Amino acid sequence: MACKSRTRNLQVFDTQLSADAVEWCPVPLSHNILACGTYQLQKGPEQAGADDVPHQRIGRLYLFEYRQEGPLTPPLTELQRIDTPAILDLKWCHVAVSDDPVLGMATASGEVRLYTLTDGPGRRCLKEQTSQSVGTECLALSLDWSTGRGESSDIRVACSDSSGCVSVLLLAGAGLETTAQWKAHDFEAWITAFSYWDTQLLYSGGDDSKLKGWDLRMDCSSPTFTSKRHSMGVCSIQSNPHQEHILATGGYDEQVLLWDGRSMRQPLSETAVGGGVWRLKWHPTHPHLLLAACMHNDFHILDCHKALEGDGGATCPTLASYILHNSLAYGADWSRLTPDQPPPGSPEGSPRRPDTYLAEGVGHLRIQYESPTASFDTSLEDDAGQYIPEGLASAGPPQPPAPPSPPASSTMPLPISSLLASCSFYDHMLHLWRWDYWTA
């Protein structure tokens, strides 16, 4: 039985500065919290002799709350904005620290900063907790937490920087301590990531086109492996939190590679995505779904099932693409909420339903991208932005839709509805969108 896939925009937010990182909070009771980071190169004064004046890299951190309160209320509400040094990466710790979610930030000032999410007057807010420098003459480019599978002891942060170094920081009390730092790459170390299944193993990727592995129990002067399979800089790595040994990597060579960490000589699969792969994110509940931010070629959701099941040479087909950004696709993340799920703390029954708002507005057509046929489709929506099932606009009172029949052969339970956020650089835009996948 055929499946259909559709993406739809829910909200657009102008971040004013170039947006390059977006992260949903993974901690229970805070799944409706979204952080977005920005980066802007501010030129020095235009005057005689000003060529020697260094450019300043400035940034801003935005905090949002996802709500579903009514047909005229945007789903994202801005809670806070904090001016910071330029932000290169953001990652939430996967577990609460002293009962509070903690957000990590990699900055252009060469620091890792930690912010605690707290309950402020009338709304939640971030408060800076601590910071640690990884170098005075470098930019902190990426970070990752050792908590990807919910481990709450020995919490560590790995950070890569523009001098080619990788640092490991231990969260001790309210502060960070550097436990290891070494030269990992000849040029910028664009990315580093823990193996979520064995957090003594660390991966890094650099502008030298090399993917490397490190064992923190050993002398990090020598990697456990070096792969040159990527033909250009390696800038995205993520360990699969659902399936042991599985690693996804991407680079400027426009390839997404899947690996079995026990055998790094040859990838399990290689998929061309048509743009440099800046970020990769595994779905929080579906082990085979991978989100790719592909710089010059938008955002794509890949189905990695066949490749992960040992189908040698299998590529990962694109199930959906989000093409409404007008600039470099940099930041992207899955929410652990579904689009129609009540956010934490909201009353039961608050999720929007098509039959709730049909009487309050007139249906209108919206053009939306339908994948994987690469064609455009139209659907009728009400003013709340909800789907109006076919025939409902002219029929009598709305009836609940019948549940779709399962496909004859399915690798994952259907239907799937996912809530996502993405951001693009030069047009400084944050998009909230949904993806629906169902049987036709």
Side-chain angles (χ1 to χ4, degrees):
M1 191 173 294
C3 294
K4 294 195 72 176
S5 179
R6 180 163 53 194
T7 61
R8 190 189 64 182
N9 175 267
L10 301 178
Q11 187 177 347
V12 175
F13 181 89
D14 185 353
T15 59
Q16 299 176 349
L17 306 179
S18 299
D20 61 357
V22 62
E23 295 285 324
W24 290 96
C25 184
V27 178
L29 301 182
S30 298
H31 289 169
N32 59 328
I33 297 298
L34 178 69
C36 180
T38 64
Y39 174 108
Q40 194 79 33
L41 186 63
Q42 194 174 55
K43 296 182 179 180
E46 295 183 3
Q47 58 188 27
D51 291 342
D52 297 331
V53 177
H55 296 328
Q56 184 180 9
R57 295 179 174 89
I58 61 172
R60 185 175 298 141
L61 174 63
Y62 288 92
L63 187 71
F64 298 93
E65 184 176 37
Y66 174 75
R67 302 173 180 173
Q68 289 183 322
E69 294 184 348
L72 301 179
T73 305
L76 282 183
T77 299
E78 182 184 344
L79 299 179
Q80 187 181 13
R81 59 177 69 184
I82 304 171
D83 289 332
T84 66
I87 299 168
L88 281 300
D89 198 14
L90 292 173
K91 293 286 191 325
W92 292 94
C93 183
H94 303 84
V95 297
V97 178
S98 300
D99 298 327
D100 292 321
V102 173
L103 177 68
M105 175 194 297
T107 74
S109 59
E111 292 177 304
V112 173
R113 293 189 179 187
L114 301 186
Y115 291 82
T116 300
L117 181 65
T118 62
D119 293 323
R123 59 176 56 189
R124 308 185 80 182
C125 63
L126 290 169
K127 293 183 179 179
E128 185 172 354
Q129 174 183 334
T130 188
S131 64
Q132 178 73 3
S133 174
V134 296
T136 57
E137 302 295 330
C138 68
L139 285 68
L141 296 178
S142 77
L143 63 90
D144 194 23
W145 293 85
S146 62
T147 53
R149 299 194 68 246
E151 297 292 334
S152 57
S153 60
D154 189 31
I155 297 177
R156 287 161 294 148
V157 180
C159 175
S160 66
D161 66 49
S162 59
S163 68
C165 291
V166 170
S167 304
V168 177
L169 314 175
L170 174 67
L171 183 60
L176 287 170
E177 298 177 2
T178 302
T179 60
Q181 186 179 65
W182 66 95
K183 182 74 171 180
H185 294 272
D186 296 331
F187 306 108
E188 291 91 340
W190 290 118
I191 189 71
T192 189
F194 282 99
S195 164
Y196 293 148
W197 295 81
D198 181 354
T199 58
Q200 295 300 325
L201 301 180
L202 194 66
Y203 304 100
S204 66
D207 208 48
D208 53 9
S209 307
K210 296 175 182 177
L211 170 67
K212 296 184 178 184
W214 310 92
D215 190 329
L216 299 179
R217 293 161 294 202
M218 301 168 59
D219 182 2
C220 288
S221 61
S222 298
T224 58
F225 73 85
T226 299
S227 171
K228 300 179 182 179
R229 185 58 184 259
H230 282 283
S231 60
M232 299 178 71
V234 180
C235 43
S236 55
I237 303 173
Q238 195 179 41
S239 171
N240 189 321
H242 311 290
Q243 191 166 343
E244 191 173 4
H245 307 301
I246 297 302
L247 187 73
T249 67
Y252 289 125
D253 59 358
E254 305 181 352
Q255 303 292 319
V256 172
L257 305 185
L258 299 184
W259 303 85
D260 183 326
R262 296 166 295 184
S263 176
M264 297 298 294
R265 292 182 179 275
Q266 182 79 11
L268 298 173
S269 74
E270 186 170 356
T271 303
V273 291
V277 186
W278 186 251
R279 284 295 176 264
L280 291 168
K281 297 289 183 67
W282 292 104
H283 193 283
T285 57
H286 295 285
H288 303 125
L289 295 179
L290 184 63
L291 174 64
C294 301
M295 299 182 73
H296 293 284
N297 194 37
D298 309 306
F299 299 88
H300 305 288
I301 296 172
L302 307 180
D303 180 3
C304 303
H305 178 263
K306 288 186 177 181
L308 297 185
E309 292 301 316
D311 188 348
T315 59
C316 301
T318 299
L319 294 181
S321 299
Y322 185 76
I323 65 168
L324 297 184
H325 283 276
N326 295 314
S327 183
L328 291 177
Y330 265 8
D333 199 19
W334 305 91
S335 172
R336 284 161 173 77
L337 295 175
T338 61
D340 301 317
Q341 177 183 351
S346 63
E348 290 297 322
S350 64
R352 297 174 179 172
R353 294 174 51 86
D355 54 353
T356 303
Y357 299 102
L358 282 176
E360 300 179 15
V362 178
H364 58 276
L365 286 175
R366 166 174 287 188
I367 296 177
Q368 54 201 17
Y369 182 70
E370 183 168 328
S371 169
T373 61
S375 62
F376 284 90
D377 190 20
T378 59
S379 70
L380 193 62
E381 298 178 345
D382 61 16
D383 282 342
Q386 299 299 302
Y387 296 129
I388 301 179
E390 293 182 12
L392 193 58
S394 57
Q399 301 296 321
S405 302
S409 176
S410 176
T411 61
M412 53 191 135
L414 297 181
I416 296 174
S417 289
S418 291
L419 182 68
L420 303 96
S422 55
C423 62
S424 47
F425 198 70
Y426 293 114
D427 62 350
H428 38 82
M429 285 295 175
L430 167 68
H431 285 221
L432 179 71
W433 48 287
R434 67 179 290 165
W435 170 55
D436 294 286
Y437 188 59
W438 73 103
T439 55

